[in-house]
Amino acid sequence: MTTGADTSADVPSDSGDDIVDSPDSADIAQAAAHGRAFDTARARAKELALEIEEHRERYYVKDAPTVSDAEFDALMRELEDIEDRFPELRDPDSPTQHVGGGVDTELFAEVVHAERMYSLDNSFSREELDDWAARVNRGLGRKPARYLCELKIDGLAVNLTYEHGRLVRAATRGDGHTGEDITANVRTIADIPARLAGTGHPARVDIRGEVFIPVEAFRQLNESLVEAGKNPFANPRNSAAGSLRQKDPQVTAQRPLHMLVHGIAAWQPEDGGEGTEASSQSEVYAQLETWGLPTSEYFRVVKTMDEVHDYIDFYGEHRHDVLHEIDGVVVKVDELDEQYELGFTSRAPRWAMAFKYPPEEVTTTLLDIRVNVGRTGRVTPYAVMEPVLVAGSTVEKATLHNAHEVRRKGVLIGDTVVLRKAGDVIPEILGPVTAARTGDEHAFVMPTHCPDCGTELYEQKEGDKDLRCPNSRSCPSQVANRVEFAGSRSAFDIEALGEESAIALAAPEKNREEALAALDEGHAIFMPLTEPADGERPELVYVKQDEEQKGGGTPQLRVESRQSSLIPDPQTPVIDTGANLFDLTADQLRDIHVWQPVRRRNEAGESEPTGDWRYESYFWNRPQLHFYKREQEWRVKPKGEPRPRKNTESLMSELEKAKDRPLWSVLVALSIRHVGPIAARALANHFRSMDKIRAASVEELSEIDGVGPVIAESLHDWFAVDWHAAIVDQWAAAGVRMEDEAPEDSGRPQTLAGLTIVATGSLDNYTRDSIKETIIAAGGKAAGSVSKKTDYVIAGENAGSKLTKAEDLGVPVLDEEAFEKLLAAGPEAVAD
């Protein structure tokens, strides 16, 4: 195993009289312990990186986060701690080294930012913010002249490009290098001028800011949606992001979007002109205001950190008195020269820091604790609560992680609990309000058997806090979660294969017992209409569903007893292991039904469960049945024909397109433990075929840079299971690509053949992924770390430690222009 460090200088020469002490047993034990710790840390870091990237995709691309802000921050901090302890694990693809986000290329064209859009580092206490100020002081060799404090808007980051004062493009931040072209949508926002006011406009300038929906406008928007029979938005941030990322600008134009700008980048003066005359961030804001751009009225320039904390404390008490939702305060060094001197890390400016307010807290009743089974078999308890409004959205569920965490928090079913939430979807239960207990509460008992397949649960290792279901082959929840993961952006990228579709395919009976239990509690289940029996007209109930509020609703049958003949037999899932995913046809999905809770609007216009359920067709639209009487008997006439829903047609189309995804995507989609995108790319680049990966030994797999022994063992063990191998075989038989074309067979010049190249820093014409793909396509090896074996380092802006190491080792360093020459004509083109 190598860690990136060159140890050759420590090896003594056989000639000469040097005396070298042999390592004693303590040294050997310490080295072995470090090796085990490193392997464990590396495996955990890869798990964290994959999980964080999945959460980023849900937040930035799908506008549908599934963890709280605090949980996401905890994952990031754990990964940062691992990388601090083992710096060699700080891969350039790590989430700690780049900005979160992505681009939906099906809806929007890609836009490469002229200058990178960074994220912000976060602090959560006065001490952490003061530590940042101390680092700033050390970086400058003095205290900064002034700080600028402003509110952290909970919206969507946008870049506006003006040429000669005219708006020519608007883009989302994306991954910082590449965003989505949303120009047509942004032009509908009244705050944003199509032409800048005033004079002195540069030939080109990028202006950064945040698009949001004001709090009061958000309330009114939701009221109008409810009145129209539509679902309200969960919170202002999601509503702003969802409104701005619409395919139809007319939809965007109907939403009360606003923008506040807070920065300038990529300034290109007119011929003979100079850059901005502003010398500070606050003067930049004044300049933007003279151009007719919207700036915040809440910012303040101060001289001391005590004044910074006063500003934070004031808005902590008045956060709900502000025009827009906020989740903290941003503190910046005001002087632009000092900002330039401090520079950037790989993902954030050193001259700015976000202070995040503590999440908001409310109390509610804990109605029940249930468990969910994940794709790896992990059984996770979650809380079901009396719906409560907190941080702008109605909450009724929260994760409890494991049985140990339930005991640690000391919560009982029936408790009044303290719920904390910071503007996201999944909240956190802090603990019970013990003074409110009545004696009717009872403890949660962790099940001993899987609630979905009945298999006995077990600890993966003695003392493990998590219980797992070992029936990975056919446990419906595990299969459904694996199918959903296969459709994720990091795997096959199938938009129509989300959580609900995966459940319908692999676990359609998931909520059956919960629905039947509702009957025992006096609730009802609404069933789809069938033809009348014995010439009698069935008793119809018109059920208004959230998505069908117009008219009288959908006619259905009301079931009030478990003994009703209308309750159908359990369905057999159309997917069992996932092997037949690419063999599915629309006709196979015709009769799939799912159990869905019926929701209604309360007096406040919020959606909440009624306790009733409905059994409905998921993939196909069913014809309406018209009942009429003839010759004293009721008869039925269908109106229309059954047909696949639009989402079903999209699923079929996207499955076909997914067959041509590269090999690394297929590897990720298989849900092999520890094999995320980074390891999958390394494996695909080295072997180029699934058959060769399957045939490789653990030793051969371990030798690949980016794989190592933990991943190698996991990969080898996975393929040794017969039904795992059958998934690969059936996907291949269905036409899924299992081999990548070798660069030398692509017809492209192999100018980088035999060269090991490391790219670092921000490049103008390449993202971190595209530079790797370019190197590989030209026959080179795209390495993640610099060593004596590295042939070239391509260095962009803010290159950091890799550039320093290259200079120390004497590795040739090329800028982007020189790299283009190397790419076009090979090493001779850049020879001294």
Side-chain angles (χ1 to χ4, degrees), residues 192-342:
I192 302 174
R195 285 189 175 275
L196 298 177
T199 60
H201 310 137
R204 174 193 166 106
V205 64
D206 282 359
I207 296 170
R208 273 81 190 265
E210 204 85 3
V211 171
F212 64 94
I213 291 181
V215 175
E216 180 59 19
F218 172 75
R219 183 186 65 78
Q220 294 174 0
L221 172 62
N222 267 355
E223 287 178 356
S224 67
L225 290 173
V226 171
E227 289 175 3
K230 299 178 181 179
N231 289 335
F233 285 109
N235 55 56
R237 193 270 170 196
N238 280 4
S239 64
S243 299
L244 196 57
R245 300 176 72 250
Q246 289 283 334
K247 191 172 185 177
D248 183 0
Q250 293 183 0
V251 177
T252 305
Q254 297 171 6
R255 303 286 165 76
L257 294 172
H258 292 262
M259 184 174 185
L260 292 176
V261 299
H262 51 59
I264 289 179
W267 182 291
Q268 294 178 9
E270 294 281 7
D271 292 344
E274 297 180 355
T276 175
E277 294 179 359
S279 62
S280 66
Q281 189 79 24
S282 50
E283 289 178 10
V284 166
Y285 289 1
Q287 175 71 73
L288 294 173
E289 189 172 3
T290 65
W291 287 347
L293 288 159
T295 58
S296 175
E297 63 182 280
Y298 302 111
F299 80 88
R300 183 186 305 166
V301 178
V302 300
K303 293 184 177 179
T304 68
M305 285 302 294
D306 285 339
E307 290 176 287
V308 169
H309 289 297
D310 288 344
Y311 179 93
I312 290 171
D313 292 342
F314 176 86
Y315 281 105
E317 296 175 4
H318 296 84
R319 60 190 298 182
H320 297 296
D321 300 335
V322 178
L323 172 71
H324 47 72
E325 283 280 337
I326 64 172
D327 59 2
V329 166
V330 179
V331 184
K332 300 176 179 177
V333 173
D334 191 37
E335 292 292 325
L336 298 183
D337 285 344
E338 292 178 345
Q339 290 183 8
Y340 181 83
E341 187 175 348
L342 290 165

Side-chain angles (χ1 to χ4, degrees), residues 484 496-506 594 596 616 618-619:
E484 180 191 1
L497 191 59
E499 179 183 8
E500 291 187 3
S501 295
I503 289 173
L505 290 169
V594 293
Q596 296 280 16
E616 64 179 12
Y618 186 84
F619 291 104

Side-chain angles (χ1 to χ4, degrees), residues 149-167:
C149 303
E150 59 189 7
L151 300 180
K152 190 173 185 294
I153 304 169
D154 197 13
L156 185 72
V158 169
N159 182 83
L160 307 175
T161 300
Y162 283 86
E163 292 181 0
H164 309 292
R166 184 172 63 88
L167 179 64

Side-chain angles (χ1 to χ4, degrees), residues 310 558 564 805:
D310 288 344
R558 183 184 184 96
S564 171
K805 186 169 184 180

Side-chain angles (χ1 to χ4, degrees), residues 661-692:
R661 294 281 290 167
L663 178 60
W664 70 266
S665 297
V666 182
L667 283 167
V668 173
L670 291 171
S671 283
I672 303 171
R673 190 169 173 81
H674 303 311
V675 180
I678 296 172
R681 283 181 183 274
L683 289 161
N685 290 339
H686 182 84
F687 289 104
R688 303 207 173 277
S689 92
M690 187 70 76
D691 286 342
K692 291 180 180 178

